[in-house]
Structure formats: structure tokens, C-alpha cells
Amino acid sequence: MLENKTYIQSFCTIQNNEIILNGESIFKSDSDLFSDFSKKAYQNFDINYPKFFKMDNLSKLAFLAAELLLKNEIDESKENNIALVFANKSSSLDTDVKYQNSISDKENYFPSPAVFVYTLPNICIGEISIKHQLKSENSFFIFDAFHSEFMTNYANVLLHTKKAEKVLFGWVEYYNEEYKAFLYLVANEGKTEHNKEIIENLYNK
């Protein structure tokens, strides 16, 4: 592994109807459904991106966390080389099940193109890339659990080989109303060192 240090510039966690940015709770809701919670969060942060309402829940979850981390990072006057690398356990299973239900009943056979388009987990990366006009490196991995060592090493390689100027990394899991997003922005400069132990500590808070 390369020895040069990298640093966490900011991080965001979304779970249990709450959004925490850099360790501070910035939004809470008593909504029973994620769809209601995400809509309220969207309105609270005055986000202007109508396509949000057409996204599946996994994409909404990733989009909200990414929006809070990237809104002050994007320079519209240039091409922003911010890589996106996400992972989860359930892939796009929540949407896969909904799509399967739309085609399994022969008496009510109605496959929805709007649902089908989200039957890949990396579509959430596409939504974020479109919103922020990112043409950078991106990947989506499936693991049994949050894999801090892999994520740390991958970020370091991307930064040290200059494949990216910054990397937005994280875990974005959504299935059957159980959800958690933990995204963090990594760069070659900063105050909080980016390593396996610190990432695990932030993830488990």
C-alpha cells in the first residue's frame, strides 16, 4: 500500500430518520416511511432537482448524502475530477422486488420502465454524476458488510495515482425500509487522517 496519507474532509450519515453532517445532527423527522422522510429532507435543504421524485429509494438516499457533501465542492467553471465509489449489501434488491411484482401477476401484467431503470445499484452514482456533471471514475461494489480496509486502500490508490482529485466514498444500503447511508469525502489535504480505524469509528457512530 502507498504510504502517503489522505484525509477525510467531510462525512455524512443518514439513518433512523436523521441526517448527521460532520458529527452534527442537521435534520430529523418523525416520518414512518423513507419516502416521506426523504421528501421532507429535500424540501428542508431547498434542493432544486425535480428528477429526485422519480428516483428509487436507494438513489434518493445516496443523492441526499452526496448533495450535502458536494454542494460546496463543485466548481461549475471547470470539470470536477471527484470519483464516486459506493458499496452496499443488498444491491438494488428493494427495487428488483418491486419490478418482479409488476411482472409476476399475469392478470395484472404491467412492467414499468420507470422502475426497471433502477434495477442496478450503480444508477444512484449516475444520478449524482448527472446532477453535478461529473465524468470521473466511479464504481459500485457489493459486500456482506461495510469494508473499511478496502474502501481506504481504494481511495488512496485513486488519489496517489492522480485518477481523482477527491473521492466520494461510502456505504449506501436500502432494503424494505431499513436504510443507512455513510458517505465521506477524501482528499490529499485535510485535518482528519483517512485510515481504517477512523472510518470504522465514524461508520459505527
Side-chain angles (χ1 to χ4, degrees), residues 90-130:
S90 299
S91 184
S92 55
L93 184 59
D94 191 80
T95 299
D96 296 346
V97 170
K98 291 176 181 176
Y99 185 73
Q100 179 61 37
N101 290 339
S102 75
I103 63 175
S104 58
D105 185 354
K106 294 182 178 179
E107 300 301 321
N108 189 29
Y109 182 81
F110 187 72
S112 170
V115 176
F116 178 75
V117 73
Y118 290 102
T119 55
L120 286 173
N122 62 330
I123 298 302
C124 67
I125 291 178
E127 298 286 13
I128 295 165
S129 296
I130 292 169

Side-chain angles (χ1 to χ4, degrees), residues 12-29:
C12 179
T13 301
I14 303 178
Q15 63 179 343
N16 301 325
N17 295 336
E18 183 176 15
I19 300 178
I20 299 172
L21 182 64
N22 298 324
E24 178 184 352
S25 178
I26 60 171
F27 180 76
K28 284 185 179 180
S29 170

Side-chain angles (χ1 to χ4, degrees), residues 14 34 57-66 85-92 121 124-125 128 140-142 146 151 169-175 178-183 203:
I14 303 178
F34 176 78
N57 286 328
L58 178 65
S59 294
K60 287 179 179 178
L61 179 62
F63 184 92
L64 285 172
V85 184
F86 295 172
N88 74 5
K89 179 179 180 179
S90 299
S91 184
S92 55
C124 67
I125 291 178
I128 295 165
F140 200 111
F141 297 93
I142 311 299
F146 181 69
M151 304 294 261
F169 253 99
W171 181 261
V172 188
E173 169 69 12
Y174 184 99
Y175 181 65
E178 295 291 327
Y179 62 90
K180 179 171 184 174
F182 170 64
L183 269 59
Y203 174 80

Side-chain angles (χ1 to χ4, degrees), residues 2 6 9 16 28 44-45 63-64 82 84 95 98 101 108 122 148 152 159 163 166 171 195:
L2 297 170
T6 55
Q9 295 195 328
N16 301 325
K28 284 185 179 180
N44 179 75
F45 296 112
F63 184 92
L64 285 172
I82 302 174
L84 304 175
T95 299
K98 291 176 181 176
N101 290 339
N108 189 29
N122 62 330
S148 58
T152 304
L159 291 168
K163 294 287 187 180
K166 295 184 179 183
W171 181 261
N195 60 48

